[in-house]
Amino acid sequence: MTLLLQQYPTKSAASSDALFAKIVNDLANDGYSIQVNALPLGLTDILHTHVVNLPQYKFNLARVGRESNQQLNAQIRNDKTLWIYGDSPAGQEWLKWTQALQLYLNRHLLMGLFSFESHFSHYAKGNYYKKHVDAFKGQANRVLSLVTYLNPQWQDTQGGELVIYNQPGNPEGIKVLPKYGTLVLFLSEEFEHEVKPAQRDRYSIAGWFRVNTSTREQVDPPL
Protein backbone atom coordinates (compact mmCIF):
# COMPACT_ATOMS: atom_id res chain seq x y z
CA MET A 1 0.00 0.00 0.00
CA THR A 2 2.81 2.42 0.82
CA LEU A 3 4.44 1.75 -2.55
CA LEU A 4 1.18 2.61 -4.26
CA LEU A 5 1.03 5.98 -2.55
CA GLN A 6 4.64 6.70 -3.48
CA GLN A 7 3.97 5.85 -7.12
CA TYR A 8 0.82 7.99 -7.28
CA PRO A 9 1.30 10.88 -4.84
CA THR A 10 -1.78 12.70 -3.64
CA LYS A 11 -2.41 16.27 -4.73
CA SER A 12 -0.61 19.09 -2.96
CA ALA A 13 -2.17 21.01 -0.10
CA ALA A 14 -2.74 23.92 -2.49
CA SER A 15 -4.67 21.66 -4.87
CA SER A 16 -6.73 20.29 -1.99
CA ASP A 17 -7.54 23.81 -0.84
CA ALA A 18 -8.71 24.67 -4.37
CA LEU A 19 -11.02 21.63 -4.35
CA PHE A 20 -12.27 22.41 -0.85
CA ALA A 21 -12.98 26.00 -1.92
CA LYS A 22 -15.15 24.75 -4.80
CA ILE A 23 -17.05 22.49 -2.40
CA VAL A 24 -17.61 25.34 0.06
CA ASN A 25 -18.90 27.61 -2.70
CA ASP A 26 -21.31 24.94 -3.97
CA LEU A 27 -22.62 24.09 -0.52
CA ALA A 28 -23.17 27.75 0.32
CA ASN A 29 -25.07 28.40 -2.90
CA ASP A 30 -26.84 25.12 -3.67
CA GLY A 31 -26.54 22.82 -0.64
CA TYR A 32 -24.74 20.17 -2.71
CA SER A 33 -21.49 19.77 -4.63
CA ILE A 34 -20.53 17.36 -7.40
CA GLN A 35 -16.82 17.15 -8.24
CA VAL A 36 -15.95 14.74 -11.06
CA ASN A 37 -12.62 12.91 -10.79
CA ALA A 38 -11.67 15.16 -7.89
CA LEU A 39 -10.42 12.85 -5.13
CA PRO A 40 -6.59 12.77 -5.22
CA LEU A 41 -5.50 9.95 -7.51
CA GLY A 42 -3.14 8.36 -5.01
CA LEU A 43 -5.88 8.19 -2.40
CA THR A 44 -8.42 6.86 -4.90
CA ASP A 45 -5.97 4.16 -5.98
CA ILE A 46 -5.17 2.95 -2.49
CA LEU A 47 -8.87 2.87 -1.52
CA HIS A 48 -9.81 1.00 -4.69
CA THR A 49 -7.02 -1.56 -4.27
CA HIS A 50 -8.03 -2.10 -0.67
CA VAL A 51 -11.77 -2.52 -1.18
CA VAL A 52 -11.64 -4.85 -4.20
CA ASN A 53 -9.24 -7.16 -2.36
CA LEU A 54 -11.33 -7.42 0.81
CA PRO A 55 -12.95 -10.84 1.33
CA GLN A 56 -16.70 -10.62 0.87
CA TYR A 57 -17.40 -12.17 4.28
CA LYS A 58 -16.22 -8.91 5.87
CA PHE A 59 -19.16 -7.04 4.34
CA ASN A 60 -22.59 -7.05 5.96
CA LEU A 61 -26.00 -6.62 4.40
CA ALA A 62 -26.88 -2.95 4.77
CA ARG A 63 -29.65 -1.98 7.15
CA VAL A 64 -32.08 0.91 7.15
CA GLY A 65 -32.83 3.10 10.17
CA ARG A 66 -30.53 4.26 12.93
CA GLU A 67 -29.21 2.78 16.18
CA SER A 68 -31.83 0.53 17.86
CA ASN A 69 -34.26 0.95 14.95
CA GLN A 70 -31.98 -0.64 12.35
CA GLN A 71 -33.45 -3.46 10.28
CA LEU A 72 -32.88 -5.36 7.06
CA ASN A 73 -35.25 -4.36 4.28
CA ALA A 74 -34.34 -5.60 0.81
CA GLN A 75 -37.28 -3.68 -0.64
CA ILE A 76 -35.42 -0.47 0.18
CA ARG A 77 -31.76 -1.48 -0.20
CA ASN A 78 -29.74 -4.65 -0.81
CA ASP A 79 -26.13 -3.48 -0.91
CA LYS A 80 -23.40 -4.54 1.53
CA THR A 81 -21.25 -2.31 3.73
CA LEU A 82 -18.09 -2.34 5.84
CA TRP A 83 -17.37 0.45 8.34
CA ILE A 84 -14.03 2.24 8.10
CA TYR A 85 -12.19 2.50 11.42
CA GLY A 86 -8.69 3.46 10.29
CA ASP A 87 -7.22 0.03 11.01
CA SER A 88 -5.69 -0.23 7.51
CA PRO A 89 -3.33 2.08 5.59
CA ALA A 90 -6.16 2.86 3.17
CA GLY A 91 -8.56 3.71 5.98
CA GLN A 92 -5.97 5.88 7.70
CA GLU A 93 -5.31 7.89 4.54
CA TRP A 94 -9.04 8.33 3.93
CA LEU A 95 -9.72 9.57 7.45
CA LYS A 96 -6.74 11.93 7.26
CA TRP A 97 -8.14 13.46 4.05
CA THR A 98 -11.69 13.82 5.40
CA GLN A 99 -10.36 15.41 8.58
CA ALA A 100 -8.64 18.08 6.48
CA LEU A 101 -11.92 18.65 4.63
CA GLN A 102 -13.82 18.88 7.92
CA LEU A 103 -11.46 21.52 9.25
CA TYR A 104 -11.81 23.55 6.05
CA LEU A 105 -15.60 23.34 6.11
CA ASN A 106 -15.74 24.43 9.74
CA ARG A 107 -13.38 27.32 9.07
CA HIS A 108 -15.26 28.66 6.05
CA LEU A 109 -18.88 27.65 6.66
CA LEU A 110 -18.96 27.54 10.48
CA MET A 111 -20.84 24.23 10.36
CA GLY A 112 -19.69 22.98 13.75
CA LEU A 113 -18.81 19.56 12.35
CA PHE A 114 -17.64 17.40 15.23
CA SER A 115 -16.95 13.94 13.84
CA PHE A 116 -17.06 11.79 10.73
CA GLU A 117 -18.23 8.23 10.09
CA SER A 118 -18.05 6.27 6.85
CA HIS A 119 -18.23 2.83 5.30
CA PHE A 120 -17.32 1.07 2.10
CA SER A 121 -20.34 0.11 0.02
CA HIS A 122 -20.48 -2.78 -2.43
CA TYR A 123 -23.39 -2.91 -4.84
CA ALA A 124 -23.36 -6.19 -6.75
CA LYS A 125 -24.91 -6.24 -10.22
CA GLY A 126 -28.57 -5.25 -9.91
CA ASN A 127 -28.32 -3.90 -6.33
CA TYR A 128 -30.01 -0.62 -5.44
CA TYR A 129 -30.99 1.80 -2.68
CA LYS A 130 -34.44 3.35 -3.05
CA LYS A 131 -35.19 7.04 -2.53
CA HIS A 132 -34.43 8.23 1.02
CA VAL A 133 -32.88 11.00 3.11
CA ASP A 134 -29.83 10.51 5.31
CA ALA A 135 -31.24 12.45 8.27
CA PHE A 136 -34.68 13.65 9.31
CA LYS A 137 -34.92 17.30 10.31
CA GLY A 138 -34.39 17.81 14.01
CA GLN A 139 -33.95 14.10 14.72
CA ALA A 140 -30.35 13.31 13.78
CA ASN A 141 -26.85 14.70 13.96
CA ARG A 142 -25.75 13.79 10.45
CA VAL A 143 -25.61 17.15 8.72
CA LEU A 144 -23.42 16.67 5.65
CA SER A 145 -23.25 13.54 3.49
CA LEU A 146 -20.22 12.61 1.39
CA VAL A 147 -19.93 9.94 -1.30
CA THR A 148 -16.92 9.00 -3.40
CA TYR A 149 -16.65 6.37 -6.11
CA LEU A 150 -13.99 3.71 -6.65
CA ASN A 151 -14.89 2.30 -10.09
CA PRO A 152 -12.23 2.55 -12.83
CA GLN A 153 -13.37 2.81 -16.44
CA TRP A 154 -17.05 3.11 -15.58
CA GLN A 155 -19.11 3.45 -18.75
CA ASP A 156 -22.19 5.65 -19.18
CA THR A 157 -24.25 2.60 -20.16
CA GLN A 158 -23.46 0.67 -16.96
CA GLY A 159 -26.00 2.48 -14.78
CA GLY A 160 -25.49 2.68 -11.02
CA GLU A 161 -26.23 6.41 -10.91
CA LEU A 162 -26.71 8.36 -7.73
CA VAL A 163 -29.80 10.50 -8.27
CA ILE A 164 -30.14 13.64 -6.15
CA TYR A 165 -33.60 15.18 -6.08
CA ASN A 166 -32.71 18.82 -5.69
CA GLN A 167 -35.98 20.48 -6.72
CA PRO A 168 -39.63 19.49 -6.11
CA GLY A 169 -40.47 20.30 -9.72
CA ASN A 170 -37.67 18.17 -11.14
CA PRO A 171 -38.71 14.50 -10.86
CA GLU A 172 -35.69 13.41 -12.89
CA GLY A 173 -33.20 14.78 -10.38
CA ILE A 174 -29.48 15.16 -10.93
CA LYS A 175 -27.79 11.93 -12.05
CA VAL A 176 -24.19 11.23 -11.08
CA LEU A 177 -22.36 8.27 -12.59
CA PRO A 178 -20.12 6.42 -10.09
CA LYS A 179 -16.91 7.19 -11.95
CA TYR A 180 -13.47 6.84 -10.42
CA GLY A 181 -12.63 9.57 -7.91
CA THR A 182 -15.89 11.51 -8.25
CA LEU A 183 -17.01 13.27 -5.05
CA VAL A 184 -20.54 14.22 -4.06
CA LEU A 185 -21.50 16.18 -0.94
CA PHE A 186 -24.95 17.38 0.12
CA LEU A 187 -26.84 18.53 3.20
CA SER A 188 -28.12 15.35 4.80
CA GLU A 189 -31.56 16.63 5.81
CA GLU A 190 -32.32 18.47 2.60
CA PHE A 191 -31.98 16.09 -0.33
CA GLU A 192 -33.74 12.86 -1.15
CA HIS A 193 -31.55 10.57 -3.22
CA GLU A 194 -31.29 7.02 -4.47
CA VAL A 195 -28.88 4.58 -6.11
CA LYS A 196 -29.99 3.00 -9.37
CA PRO A 197 -29.10 -0.64 -10.24
CA ALA A 198 -25.82 -1.13 -12.07
CA GLN A 199 -24.65 -3.62 -14.69
CA ARG A 200 -21.45 -4.51 -12.80
CA ASP A 201 -20.00 -4.45 -9.29
CA ARG A 202 -20.05 -0.92 -7.94
CA TYR A 203 -17.80 0.26 -5.09
CA SER A 204 -18.04 3.50 -3.16
CA ILE A 205 -17.59 5.12 0.22
CA ALA A 206 -20.53 6.76 1.96
CA GLY A 207 -19.80 9.06 4.87
CA TRP A 208 -21.42 11.62 7.14
CA PHE A 209 -20.07 14.64 8.96
CA ARG A 210 -21.85 15.04 12.27
CA VAL A 211 -22.45 17.62 14.94
CA ASN A 212 -22.07 16.74 18.60
CA THR A 213 -25.25 15.75 20.44
CA SER A 214 -23.62 14.26 23.52
CA THR A 215 -25.59 14.31 26.78
CA ARG A 216 -24.79 13.19 30.30
CA GLU A 217 -26.53 9.91 29.52
CA GLN A 218 -24.97 9.19 26.12
CA VAL A 219 -21.69 10.04 24.41
CA ASP A 220 -21.92 10.86 20.72
CA PRO A 221 -21.31 9.47 18.19
CA PRO A 222 -22.73 6.01 19.04
CA LEU A 223 -21.84 4.34 15.66
Side-chain angles (χ1 to χ4, degrees):
M1 294 299 185
T2 302
L3 291 176
L4 184 62
L5 281 177
Q6 291 174 346
Q7 184 178 359
Y8 300 110
T10 56
K11 295 180 181 178
S12 66
S15 297
S16 292
D17 281 354
L19 170 61
F20 295 169
K22 291 179 182 178
I23 292 171
V24 162
N25 183 68
D26 288 348
L27 291 176
N29 290 312
D30 303 314
Y32 65 90
S33 180
I34 301 168
Q35 304 292 332
V36 178
N37 191 30
L39 192 69
L41 180 59
L43 179 56
T44 311
D45 285 339
I46 193 176
L47 290 168
H48 169 257
T49 299
H50 179 72
V51 72
V52 299
N53 285 289
L54 286 169
Q56 281 301 301
Y57 73 82
K58 288 184 174 289
F59 288 82
N60 296 306
L61 285 171
R63 296 173 179 266
V64 297
R66 290 286 289 158
E67 301 177 32
S68 60
N69 294 320
Q70 289 186 3
Q71 58 182 314
L72 295 172
N73 189 336
Q75 299 300 313
I76 297 177
R77 68 184 300 186
N78 56 3
D79 59 310
K80 293 184 177 181
T81 62
L82 175 63
W83 288 98
I84 300 173
Y85 295 111
D87 53 356
S88 67
Q92 292 166 12
E93 292 297 324
W94 168 246
L95 295 177
K96 185 187 303 181
W97 188 86
T98 56
Q99 183 179 40
L101 174 58
Q102 177 180 320
L103 291 172
Y104 194 97
L105 292 169
N106 279 340
R107 186 180 305 120
H108 293 274
L109 292 178
L110 305 178
M111 296 186 72
L113 304 177
F114 175 74
S115 63
F116 178 73
E117 59 184 6
S118 62
H119 59 60
F120 291 111
S121 295
H122 175 213
Y123 288 77
K125 182 179 179 180
N127 284 173
Y128 54 82
Y129 193 167
K130 298 294 187 180
K131 188 187 292 187
H132 65 285
V133 292
D134 285 348
F136 295 104
K137 291 187 177 182
Q139 298 181 13
N141 56 0
R142 288 177 172 179
V143 295
L144 183 65
S145 301
L146 181 157
V147 185
T148 192
Y149 297 106
L150 307 173
N151 306 295
Q153 300 178 336
W154 194 273
Q155 304 300 311
D156 294 355
T157 57
Q158 291 176 323
E161 301 96 332
L162 170 70
V163 185
I164 301 173
Y165 297 96
N166 63 319
Q167 295 178 357
N170 180 14
E172 296 298 318
I174 300 172
K175 297 180 180 179
V176 184
L177 285 166
K179 293 186 175 182
Y180 205 56
T182 292
L183 283 165
V184 183
L185 297 97
F186 54 89
L187 297 176
S188 302
E189 296 181 345
E190 300 296 331
F191 296 99
E192 286 189 307
H193 54 286
E194 67 177 313
V195 177
K196 296 290 189 179
Q199 301 303 311
R200 54 176 268 202
D201 284 330
R202 175 189 186 278
Y203 290 96
S204 61
I205 296 176
W208 301 270
F209 292 100
R210 303 158 56 102
V211 294
N212 187 8
T213 59
S214 294
T215 65
R216 282 188 286 182
E217 290 74 29
Q218 180 176 335
V219 175
D220 185 69
L223 198 62

